[in-house]
Amino acid sequence: AMGAQAAQAARYAGERGLQIALEVDLRLARQAFRARYPDELQQELVLKMAEFPATGAAEVVFEGADSSDHMIGSLPKYECLTTRLVRVYAYVKGPDGIDPASVHDITGEGVIATAGGPRRLTVRVPPQPGRGVCVIAAHTVLSPDVFAPHFFAFQREIVRQYADVPLAGVMKDEWGFPPD
């Protein structure tokens, strides 16, 4: 497996006076992390202001998308796995912006969220005369959450797999949210 390949490469390089530092970034093990900790994946909150027609309810559509960056190589993209409704807030907007005292959670007040597949969500908000509305959804992405309870333990397990390999070191790229 990978450990044997790394050991063979490190020995080969060492015979030629070279050393190897192995990339052990957790994003390269996203599928294994998801298999063990499916509830600890990264999420992106998306806020959209609802536009109400002259009469009737407003409709807001969220559509998750896959993304990629230089870290994934031939691995699967940062797939949007699910999209879910988080909250819907109504508010009154005055000359100085949103009045903080007017913000009210209306998620349970006739709001209907309909999934159109795992990544598409349509949210229908009943009329809110005199108020604006902010709809918040979350896209869950095939990437470990940087604040996941098992993030560091899983990363340490990966590094420990190479403890007996004659490496010059290991490295990790900077962490960030998968690109949008």
Side-chain angles (χ1 to χ4, degrees):
M2 179 59 194
Q5 279 296 123
Q8 183 180 0
R11 283 191 300 275
Y12 178 81
E15 293 167 2
R16 283 150 184 77
L18 302 172
Q19 292 184 320
I20 293 177
L22 189 64
E23 174 67 71
V24 294
D25 194 294
L26 188 53
R27 289 172 288 181
L28 300 173
R30 291 175 288 126
Q31 294 159 297
F33 187 89
R34 177 187 181 195
R36 285 182 50 192
Y37 308 110
D39 296 331
E40 295 184 22
L41 299 177
Q42 203 164 114
Q43 295 185 32
E44 174 184 32
L45 288 178
V46 179
L47 286 70
K48 291 188 177 186
M49 301 308 196
E51 297 291 331
F52 287 95
T55 60
E59 198 168 273
V60 178
V61 177
F62 295 90
E63 181 79 38
D66 299 343
S67 60
S68 63
D69 65 11
H70 66 285
M71 286 302 300
I72 64 170
S74 64
L75 295 173
K77 290 184 175 188
Y78 299 109
E79 180 184 351
C80 177
L81 302 168
T82 63
T83 298
R84 66 178 175 83
L85 178 63
V86 176
R87 295 271 189 285
V88 180
Y89 292 102
Y91 57 85
V92 174
K93 191 171 183 181
D96 296 325
I98 295 172
D99 174 9
S102 73
V103 176
H104 179 67
D105 182 348
I106 63 165
T107 310
E109 298 176 15
V111 172
I112 299 170
T114 306
R119 62 174 69 196
R120 182 178 173 84
L121 184 72
T122 302
V123 181
R124 188 171 170 82
V125 182
Q128 301 293 314
R131 301 194 298 177
V133 175
C134 178
V135 182
I136 305 170
H139 299 301
T140 300
V141 179
L142 178 57
S143 185
D145 185 342
V146 294
F147 299 105
H150 294 97
F151 183 91
F152 289 111
F154 193 83
Q155 180 69 76
R156 282 190 293 274
E157 285 179 38
I158 291 171
V159 172
R160 284 187 188 115
Q161 290 178 38
Y162 302 99
D164 61 343
V165 177
L167 298 170
V170 295
M171 57 185 178
K172 278 181 66 159
D173 199 355
E174 75 280 356
W175 191 268
F177 191 82
D180 284 330

